[in-house]
């Protein structure tokens, strides 16, 4: 090394000639050369002075001989853009010339998020295992996916909201619900016993929020960038320009309040747990469950399985309702079909690689007039024959089929022929199914014209209905504009009430539970029909079991099973909490010096690189991250 020139030492320190700055262009004329001689001489003197001040490679290597990664200590220079087809062996470090961290903003930063996507607050994701996972699994999951910066160092497509309508010190960051689901899937793959699910209750509490109802850019998430570290996220949120206030017309009061409500939910679910919040959450959960019970009762009322209470009933006998009497499924419905309803089930399929691309829409209808004097049969099997269905496929997306998360089958409609319609026509086609003759593709020629034009009361049915309503809105059809829709039924909620299960189940698993065979699920037309099957099965089965010994036994078995699971989990938790308190049988070991301020002392942990039989004592931050001191 001693025989190398100063320039050679500089080249070595920079990692090769490819890291040298580009050469200055050669003078084109003698006149220009004469004019620049003085400047060039001065620059050469300055460069030589800088080189003279450089530390020699020998002394540098001697000072850093114990460094695990000596390159990180070498001052880095900004690199010119590499030509296509070449590989840069070491990326430029994210430091500016003053030595501070610096991350370039993405070119698409500020772009509004596309429609049809729900967003999860990123801070809620960083605390996910401590808020939404059972206690006995929190630490194993934290060690594997969250602690020591693991959750921050994953690849995230970040979005942000920074609006005058919900003022915060820094922008509120979000990821898409699909990224959260990918994380949950990965956790479940490594810890099957965790069985984590993103329930509707969690979504409603703010874990997955849609901002599609807001047309204003300042009320929608915007793209922040593709991040891979906490430093990167902190830099972006700290250096993001302040939002421009007073731009354009003010949002109306109702819109502003709705936006603030969504943001407050996002902020609340990102906070640590508290007893008050837990109590409020339980109260809200009870109210939601009661609403779902009422939904099931109304659906049974529309199907003639529950009598509607008349206002004329005397108060002292109002508790003696006939709804406690089980229904005989081999006979016609015992009560009047309330409100003369037509059930219309909807299902929409979107391409998994771009959720704004709705590829299929399914519509299934069930007219309660067709059920009069007809027995429902076991799980409503006899009434299934009265269902008619339509299946629309968007011509522009006919070559798109899902196969990554679910196995799509758009070409396997089981209940008729599919209709191909253009993207500009689909809203009109769907809207026609909510008008006479209400989804019937080929109305009978013998039907009375006056009857087919009659306006009827409609009940909208879906499985996870809110998602399908969003997809319908994307294609241009808003169900809220249909004045004759008087009620909604969600089969995911109905099944939870029937089973008293806090977790929503898939449509396929519900069919399986009732021993119903559903071919080619995830075809929108088929799923719309199967959704009505599920509704009938739940309503009929529940009505046939109420007040019976069979229903009571089933309820008791379900409670005992859950008690056994809870007892086993509690036992494991007690054993885990008791571990580590026993004596070691030694003399206490070496003295322990006081930990630095703000640092918690952790037990000695073996380090393989230290050497056999040796241990290295570690210090930890209050959040459990290793601190190198």
């Amino acid at each position: 090394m001693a025989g190398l020139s100063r320039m050679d030492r500089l080249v070595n320190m920079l990692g090769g000639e490819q890291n040298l700055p580009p050469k200055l262009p050669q003078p084109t004329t003698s006149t220009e050369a004469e004019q620049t001689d003085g400047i060039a001489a001065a620059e050469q003197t300055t460069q030589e002075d800088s080189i003279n001040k450089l530390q020699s490679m020998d002394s540098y290597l001697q000072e850093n001989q114990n460094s695990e990664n000596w390159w990180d200590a070498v001052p880095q220079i900004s690199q010119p853009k590499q030509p296509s087809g070449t590989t840069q062996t070491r990326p430029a470090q994210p430091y500016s010339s003053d030595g501070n961290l610096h991350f370039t903003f993405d070119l698409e930063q500020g772009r509004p998020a596309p429609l049809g996507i729900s967003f999860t607050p990123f801070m809620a994701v960083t605390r996910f295992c401590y808020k939404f996972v059972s206690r006995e699994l929190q630490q194993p999951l934290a060690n594997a996916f969250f602690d020591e910066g693991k959750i921050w160092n994953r690849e995230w497509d970040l979005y942000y909201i920074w609006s005058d309508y919900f003022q915060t010190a820094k922008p509120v960051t979000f990821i898409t619900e699909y990224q959260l689901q990918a994380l949950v899937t990965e956790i479940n793959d490594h810890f099957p016993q965790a069985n984590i699910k993103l329930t509707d209750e969690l979504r409603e509490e703010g874990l997955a929020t849609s901002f599609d109802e807001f047309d204003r850019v300042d009320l929608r998430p915007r793209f922040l960038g593709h991040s891979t570290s906490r430093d990167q996220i902190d830099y972006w949120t700290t250096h993001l320009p302040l939002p421009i206030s007073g731009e354009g017309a003010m949002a109306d009061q109702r819109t502003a309040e709705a936006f603030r409500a969504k943001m407050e939910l996002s902020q609340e679910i990102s906070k640590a747990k508290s007893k008050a919040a837990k109590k409020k959450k339980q109260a809200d959960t009870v109210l939601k469950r009661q609403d779902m019970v009422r939904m099931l009762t109304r659906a049974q009322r529309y199907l003639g399985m529950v009598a509607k209470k008349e206002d004329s009933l005397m108060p002292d006998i109002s508790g003696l309702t006939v709804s406690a009497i089980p229904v005989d499924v081999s006979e016609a419905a015992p009560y009047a079909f309330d409100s003369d309803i037509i059930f219309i089930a909807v299902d929409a399929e979107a391409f998994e690689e771009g959720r704004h691309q709705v590829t299929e829409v399914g519509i299934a209808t069930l007219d309660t007039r067709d059920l009069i004097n007809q027995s429902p049969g076991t799980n409503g099997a006899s009434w299934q024959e009265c269902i008619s269905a339509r299946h629309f496929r968007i011509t522009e997306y006919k070559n798109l089929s899902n196969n990554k998360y679910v196995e799509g089958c758009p070409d396997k409609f089981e209940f008729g022929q599919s209709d191909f319609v253009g993207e500009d026509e689909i809203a009109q086609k769907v809207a026609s199914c909510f008008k006479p003759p209400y989804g019937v593709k080929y109305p009978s020629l013998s039907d009375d014209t006056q009857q087919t034009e009659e306006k009827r009361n409609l009940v909208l049915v879906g499985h996870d209905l809110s998602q399908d309503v969003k997809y319908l809105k994307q294609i241009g059809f808003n169900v809220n504009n249909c004045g004759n829709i008087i009620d909604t039924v969600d089969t995911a909620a109905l099944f939870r009430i029937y089973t008293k299960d806090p977790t929503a189940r898939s449509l396929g698993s519900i069919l399986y539970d009732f021993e119903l065979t559903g071919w080619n699920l995830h075809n929108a037309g088929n799923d719309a029909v199967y959704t009505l099957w599920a509704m009938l099965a739940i309503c009929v089965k529940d009505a046939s079991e109420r007040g019976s010994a069979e229903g009571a036994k089933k309820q008791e078995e379900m409670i005992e099973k859950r008690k056994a699971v809870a007892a086993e989990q509690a036992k494991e938790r007690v054993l885990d909490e008791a571990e580590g308190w026993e004596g070691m049988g030694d003399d206490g070991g070496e003295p322990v010096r006081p930990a630095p301020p703000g640092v918690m002392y952790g037990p000695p942990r073996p380090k393989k690189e230290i050497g056999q039989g040796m241990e290295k004592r570690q210090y930890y931050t209050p959040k459990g991250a290793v601190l190198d001191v």
Side-chain angles (χ1 to χ4, degrees):
M1 298 289 290
L4 296 177
S5 66
R6 293 170 179 171
M7 182 58 72
D8 290 335
R9 293 203 302 273
L10 174 63
V11 170
N12 287 336
M13 291 185 67
L14 294 178
E17 293 182 357
Q18 70 275 13
N19 292 329
L20 288 172
K23 294 182 179 180
L24 294 173
Q26 296 294 331
T28 56
T29 64
S30 58
T31 303
E32 292 175 347
E34 292 174 358
Q35 292 175 351
T36 58
D37 277 345
I39 299 176
E43 289 180 349
Q44 183 176 1
T45 302
T46 303
Q47 291 176 3
E48 289 179 354
D49 291 340
S50 300
I51 293 174
N52 290 331
K53 294 178 182 179
L54 287 174
Q55 183 182 13
S56 70
M57 183 61 70
D58 292 336
S59 61
Y60 173 80
L61 293 177
Q62 185 175 1
E63 291 178 9
N64 296 276
Q65 60 183 344
N66 295 324
S67 176
E68 294 181 1
N69 191 356
W70 64 269
W71 174 269
D72 294 336
V74 178
Q76 303 295 301
I77 63 172
S78 59
Q79 301 294 329
K81 187 175 181 180
Q82 297 293 318
S84 59
T86 63
T87 302
Q88 186 176 346
T89 56
R90 286 204 177 259
Q93 298 294 324
Y95 289 90
S96 60
S97 58
D98 59 2
N100 296 321
L101 277 172
H102 176 82
F103 294 91
T104 305
F105 280 101
D106 194 286
L107 293 177
E108 295 191 4
Q109 180 266 316
R111 170 178 54 83
L115 297 174
I117 298 178
S118 295
F119 293 89
T120 299
F122 184 64
M123 290 308 300
V125 177
T126 63
R127 299 167 179 169
F128 188 86
C129 73
Y130 296 107
K131 292 195 64 173
F132 308 110
V133 177
S134 57
R135 185 174 179 181
E136 64 273 10
L137 288 174
Q138 285 181 359
Q139 197 54 52
L141 265 62
N143 292 340
F145 290 95
F146 293 87
D147 286 354
E148 299 182 358
K150 293 185 180 72
I151 192 65
W152 295 84
N153 295 338
R154 293 173 65 95
E155 293 187 5
W156 299 111
D157 286 329
L158 284 179
Y159 292 79
Y160 72 94
I161 289 180
W162 207 4
S163 173
D164 285 340
Y165 294 95
F166 188 80
Q167 296 184 358
T168 53
K170 293 197 302 183
V172 182
T173 52
F174 296 85
I175 64 169
T176 64
E177 182 185 354
Y178 308 121
Q179 287 187 298
L180 175 61
Q181 183 61 63
L183 173 63
V184 169
T185 301
E186 186 176 345
I187 292 175
N188 287 335
D189 289 343
H190 287 81
F191 297 91
Q193 67 273 30
N195 193 27
I196 303 172
K197 296 181 180 178
L198 301 182
T199 64
D200 290 340
E201 288 183 358
L202 291 177
R203 292 186 176 95
E204 292 171 1
E205 290 170 9
L207 194 61
T209 304
S210 172
F211 295 88
D212 286 357
E213 62 193 90
F214 305 120
D215 296 329
R216 297 175 59 95
V217 176
D218 55 345
L219 303 185
R220 293 183 49 77
R222 307 189 211 186
F223 186 66
L224 181 59
H226 184 78
S227 74
T228 55
S229 70
R230 183 168 189 166
D231 288 338
Q232 194 173 23
I233 297 173
D234 289 344
Y235 181 89
W236 282 342
T237 55
T238 303
H239 292 79
L240 195 68
L242 288 170
I244 300 175
S245 59
E247 184 178 11
M250 294 289 291
D252 61 84
Q253 182 177 358
R254 179 177 297 181
T255 299
E257 289 178 354
F259 172 74
R260 281 193 291 269
K262 287 179 179 287
M263 294 300 295
E264 287 170 359
L265 280 177
S266 299
Q267 294 287 76
E268 186 64 32
I269 203 166
S270 301
K271 296 178 181 178
K273 290 182 179 179
S274 66
K275 291 184 178 179
K278 184 176 181 181
K279 186 175 181 180
K280 182 180 183 300
K281 177 182 176 181
Q282 178 62 21
D284 292 342
T285 299
V286 171
L287 291 175
K288 291 175 182 177
R289 290 174 181 172
Q290 291 174 349
D291 288 340
M292 288 189 286
V293 171
R294 295 187 183 97
M295 179 195 297
L296 174 59
T297 304
R298 291 196 305 273
Q300 291 175 325
R301 203 173 71 205
Y302 300 141
L303 293 170
M305 297 184 180
V306 171
K308 183 177 182 179
K309 289 184 179 181
E310 300 294 341
D311 295 336
S312 60
L313 283 178
M314 297 175 59
D316 59 331
I317 65 171
S318 60
L320 303 177
T321 61
V322 292
S323 61
I325 303 175
V327 170
D328 186 351
V329 298
S330 63
E331 298 181 0
Y335 310 111
F337 291 84
D338 183 41
S339 301
D340 190 28
I341 291 296
I342 293 179
F343 292 99
I344 298 186
V346 296
D347 184 82
E349 297 291 325
F351 186 50
E352 57 198 0
E353 298 295 341
R355 290 287 175 167
H356 62 284
Q357 297 171 322
V358 177
T359 57
E360 306 171 58
V361 177
I363 305 288
T365 58
L366 176 64
D367 191 339
T368 54
R369 290 181 181 178
D370 297 332
L371 309 182
I372 298 175
N373 298 324
Q374 182 177 347
S375 63
T378 303
N379 296 332
S382 298
W383 285 355
Q384 293 176 6
E385 300 175 1
C386 300
I387 297 172
S388 59
R390 302 286 299 274
H391 180 226
F392 300 107
R393 294 184 61 184
I394 313 301
T395 305
E396 289 83 349
Y397 304 133
K398 64 181 180 181
N399 295 324
L400 300 181
S401 180
N402 294 329
N403 54 27
K404 185 176 181 181
Y405 301 114
V406 297
E407 194 64 35
C409 49
D411 57 341
K412 296 181 180 179
F413 181 44
E414 298 286 337
F415 302 95
Q417 293 182 348
S418 302
D419 295 324
F420 286 88
V421 296
E423 194 172 14
D424 57 343
E425 300 176 301
I426 182 62
Q428 181 181 358
K429 291 291 185 181
V430 172
S432 68
C433 295
F434 289 78
K435 302 174 183 178
Y438 300 103
V440 179
K441 187 172 184 180
Y442 305 111
S444 173
L445 297 177
S446 61
D447 286 344
D448 191 326
T449 303
Q450 182 68 27
Q451 181 180 353
T452 58
E453 293 298 325
E454 179 185 2
K455 189 174 183 179
R456 301 280 301 280
N457 292 326
L458 307 179
V459 172
L460 188 65
V461 186
H463 189 81
D464 189 11
L465 181 60
S466 60
Q467 186 63 47
D468 292 312
V469 169
K470 291 177 185 177
Y471 285 148
L472 292 181
K473 188 175 181 180
Q474 278 184 230
I475 65 172
F477 177 72
N478 191 339
V479 297
N480 294 322
N481 295 333
C482 297
N484 52 337
I485 296 180
I486 66 169
D487 204 351
T488 59
V489 171
D490 194 323
T491 52
L494 290 189
F495 192 72
R496 288 178 58 193
I497 292 304
Y498 174 69
T499 59
K500 310 299 186 291
D501 191 340
T503 305
R505 296 265 295 275
S506 67
L507 180 59
S509 66
I510 294 176
L511 297 179
Y512 179 82
D513 194 80
F514 289 105
E515 299 182 349
L516 298 173
T517 303
W519 296 103
N520 294 312
L521 288 159
H522 303 297
N523 173 292
N526 296 341
D527 284 0
V529 174
Y530 297 149
T531 299
L532 288 182
W533 284 14
M535 181 194 74
L536 292 176
I538 296 168
C539 291
V540 172
K541 187 70 172 177
D542 179 78
S544 66
E545 291 179 348
R546 64 184 173 219
S548 65
E550 179 185 358
K553 182 180 179 181
K554 181 178 179 180
Q555 180 76 2
E556 184 179 351
E557 290 176 351
M558 182 265 306
I559 293 175
E560 291 299 322
K561 181 179 179 181
R562 291 185 182 167
K563 286 169 62 177
V565 172
E568 184 64 26
Q569 292 176 345
K571 179 180 178 181
E572 292 179 1
R573 183 167 62 250
V574 170
L575 293 176
D576 290 342
E577 292 173 352
E579 187 178 4
W581 299 105
E582 302 84 0
M584 300 285 292
D586 57 11
D587 61 356
E590 296 295 326
V592 179
R593 297 181 60 189
V599 177
M600 297 178 63
Y601 174 72
R605 300 191 180 186
K607 290 288 183 177
K608 294 181 180 179
E609 66 272 15
I610 301 301
Q612 186 176 3
M614 299 182 65
E615 291 185 345
K616 180 180 179 181
R617 297 185 181 277
Q618 293 283 2
Y619 292 99
Y620 299 86
T621 67
K623 294 186 178 180
V626 176
L627 186 65
D628 187 11
V629 295

